[in-house]
Amino acid sequence: MTAIHAPRGTRDLYGDEMARFALIETEARSLLARYGYSEIRTPIFEARNLFERSVGDATDIVAKELYNFKDRKDREMALRPEGTAGVVRAYIQNNLGAAGLAKYFYLGPMFRYERPQGGRYRQFYQLGCELFGADSVAADLEIIGIAERFLANLSVDAKLKINFIGCAECKKAYAAAIAAFFLPHADSLCGDCQKRITKNPLRLLDCKVPACGTIAETVPDQSLCEKCSTRFISIERGLKELEVSFVIDRRMVRGLDYYTGIVFEMTSQNLDAQDAILGGGRYDELVGELGGPKTPAIGFAIGLDRLARLVVPPSENPAHGASRTPFVYVIGFPDDPTHAAMRFSEKLRDVFPEKRIEQGLVARSLKAHLREADKLGASYVVIIGEDEIGKGSVTIKKMQDGSQSTAPMSSDETILRESFK
Ligand code: HAM
């Protein structure tokens, strides 16, 4: 029979890669709690039109990459390609803004039907962070600051790029300018871009077809209204005051329609072609556009698959290595009919809640058990054989020097602590 494989662009997470994900997630939960953000989990699938109306139906993410399907009642659904739309829907539906500011983060899988390559998957994972109800420059700086600190805490080097997409009027004016610029070149554009000229000109700037890209490179920079340019300058000044280094990239429009103010991305030189670790920006119109009260909002999402490649693997990090090493390996030998070894393991788990206690679960020779314990890096091995059961004791072997001692099977906490020092 032919074996079944995971679908193209998906993979199983285990071993070292899984440990890196776990490390990142632990750091995220602890850091974001300190900034007052709480976790939110939204469904992995939503009504398809949620993404059409937020990310935008002319974006690649929705037009080309959406995993959409009809459910059994013929309703149009889609696997979420990103997290912001779902969080905004949840914010409106659950009236999460009732108490004023709302600060949420999320962790979970996203789905995009892209061509898989190193660091690009069809199921990938994001850590996202969304802040509702604050339109201040301080809010912009906090969101960028969290992203910066998070990467710094994980010792990951990344370059920050920023741009300002502007208010609805600025966006509209730029869209018209882009359309006018591209119109004379219409014949040289791909079919999608020909439609974009009328449908969504801003998206002409992120087409991946080389001929379109070449024309896009010569598009004039966006001009901003006074309010937007003042805001952009204040953010730049704020970043400098906070000693955050950045570069300005006036062509960066991001691949999603909902942005209205500051947008940013972080890239790493230590990744190959897919070097964007993180992207985000302000989206002050989205809550209103999706039927909620007009609410300023800003957020970002980090691609965990890419970030996981950059963090120090827990096995090489002395601070995390300890949890991988079994402290005590308990062997019931030869077949432990009364499960004395298992009962003793449970007792050790009560006394040493912080330590790893592993039970030998496969019937094998004592020598093979000891070899296994050594391979796992156990500090101690407890042997409970027929002799020990007869005497009501256990043998404790210290792996570092091979020395052995015995302790009563019924030892209390003090004796156990003494025996496994
Ligand atoms: P995005 O730039 O589309 O933004 O995605 C954010 C990050 O997700 C990217 O920088 C990248 O690291 C990762 N990513 C995207 N696609 C893939 C893929 N196919 N495989 C692996 N990693 C990928 C958003 O999704 C917005 N929702 C961010 C945001 C939140 N804006 C405001 N709030």
Side-chain angles (χ1 to χ4, degrees):
M1 236 190 296
T2 37
I4 299 170
H5 290 276
R8 188 164 139 75
T10 72
R11 71 207 192 285
D12 305 303
L13 294 174
Y14 55 88
D16 202 49
E17 192 179 19
M18 187 63 238
R20 290 169 189 240
F21 267 72
L23 172 77
I24 294 170
E25 290 174 9
T26 305
E27 174 60 28
R29 287 199 166 87
S30 113
L31 182 72
L32 289 161
R34 287 167 58 210
Y35 280 88
Y37 287 71
S38 57
E39 188 164 358
I40 185 164
R41 280 191 201 185
T42 64
I44 278 170
F45 67 95
E46 299 265 5
R48 177 187 171 142
N49 69 0
L50 172 66
F51 304 113
E52 289 167 344
R53 286 172 54 191
S54 55
V55 176
D57 53 4
T59 57
D60 279 358
I61 295 178
V62 170
K64 298 184 180 165
E65 298 165 3
L66 207 59
Y67 271 94
N68 53 293
F69 59 97
K70 280 192 175 161
D71 74 4
R72 287 171 187 273
K73 288 260 165 68
D74 258 4
R75 286 171 289 227
E76 290 280 0
M77 297 289 167
L79 298 183
R80 61 183 187 191
E82 57 103 55
T84 310
V87 174
V88 171
R89 195 237 350 102
Y91 173 87
I92 299 167
Q93 186 175 339
N94 302 294
N95 197 18
L96 299 179
L101 278 197
K103 303 178 179 182
Y104 288 99
F105 74 91
Y106 49 90
L107 285 156
M110 309 292 160
F111 306 85
R112 295 184 193 176
Y113 193 89
E114 292 192 83
R115 196 170 52 77
Q117 56 168 248
R120 188 161 72 194
Y121 303 95
R122 289 182 175 170
Q123 173 168 337
F124 60 98
Y125 297 82
Q126 282 186 347
L127 157 67
C129 192
E130 315 288 354
L131 163 59
F132 297 95
D135 64 0
S136 59
V137 171
D140 296 346
L141 295 174
E142 169 165 298
I143 284 290
I144 297 175
I146 290 176
E148 284 274 326
R149 181 183 286 275
F150 183 60
L151 296 183
N153 285 1
L154 291 167
S155 312
V156 169
D157 251 353
K159 215 169 97 181
L160 171 66
K161 265 192 310 191
I162 63 168
N163 190 19
F164 203 90
I165 298 277
C167 62
E169 281 71 47
C170 286
K171 261 172 99 168
K172 218 160 106 193
Y174 194 39
I178 295 173
F181 179 85
F182 271 89
L183 199 57
H185 303 283
D187 290 345
S188 336
L189 298 175
C190 71
D192 285 336
C193 279
Q194 286 175 351
K195 287 184 216 133
R196 286 175 178 141
I197 294 182
T198 44
K199 215 173 166 208
N200 192 337
L202 220 57
R203 299 276 69 91
L204 285 158
L205 300 188
D206 32 58
C207 182
K208 286 159 199 139
V209 175
C212 307
T214 313
I215 302 170
E217 274 170 27
T218 57
V219 167
D221 280 354
Q222 180 182 16
S223 46
L224 295 172
C225 70
E226 205 181 317
K227 199 168 160 218
C228 285
S229 57
T230 309
R231 173 76 175 216
F232 194 18
I233 292 166
S234 312
I235 296 170
E236 281 172 48
R237 195 177 305 134
L239 288 171
K240 283 181 192 147
E241 274 160 10
L242 296 170
E243 293 174 19
V244 173
S245 34
F246 62 93
V247 292
I248 295 173
D249 177 356
R250 295 295 281 133
R251 293 284 154 70
M252 183 175 70
V253 287
R254 310 260 306 119
L256 308 97
D257 278 353
Y258 48 64
Y259 295 113
T260 48
I262 183 79
V263 289
F264 55 95
E265 283 185 1
M266 287 190 196
T267 52
S268 160
Q269 299 155 327
N270 302 320
L271 290 171
D272 22 75
Q274 300 303 316
D275 63 351
I277 322 179
L278 165 166
R282 183 165 276 287
Y283 52 95
D284 288 346
E285 306 291 334
L286 188 57
V287 178
E289 279 168 9
L290 291 179
K294 191 166 163 36
T295 310
I298 178 165
F300 69 82
I302 300 190
L304 298 191
D305 309 75
R306 296 178 192 173
L307 183 58
R309 293 175 162 209
L310 300 171
V311 297
V312 178
S315 56
E316 285 167 30
N317 184 335
H320 301 282
S323 63
R324 289 196 51 184
T325 308
F327 176 62
V328 184
Y329 185 87
V330 183
I331 306 167
F333 183 78
D335 58 1
D336 195 19
T338 61
H339 302 294
M342 193 149 268
R343 278 181 280 131
F344 196 73
S345 294
E346 285 301 316
K347 187 168 174 169
L348 291 178
R349 289 183 185 113
D350 286 338
V351 173
F352 302 109
E354 73 288 4
K355 301 293 185 195
R356 180 167 157 187
I357 313 289
E358 274 220 31
Q359 172 88 32
L361 295 174
V362 176
R364 52 181 149 206
S365 70
L366 185 57
K367 215 165 135 195
H369 268 306
L370 290 171
R371 219 181 299 124
E372 176 71 9
D374 193 44
K375 198 174 91 194
L376 292 169
S379 313
Y380 288 95
V381 168
V382 172
I383 302 163
I384 303 181
E386 279 162 353
D387 261 13
E388 282 83 1
I389 290 180
K391 291 187 200 141
S393 66
V394 302
T395 299
I396 301 165
K397 187 176 164 83
K398 194 170 183 178
M399 296 301 274
Q400 201 183 16
D401 57 13
S403 62
Q404 288 197 180
S405 60
T406 56
M409 212 174 273
S410 58
S411 295
D412 61 11
E413 181 169 342
T414 320
I415 300 178
L416 287 177
R417 287 206 173 276
E418 197 53 36
S419 308
F420 293 95
K421 258 210 307 229

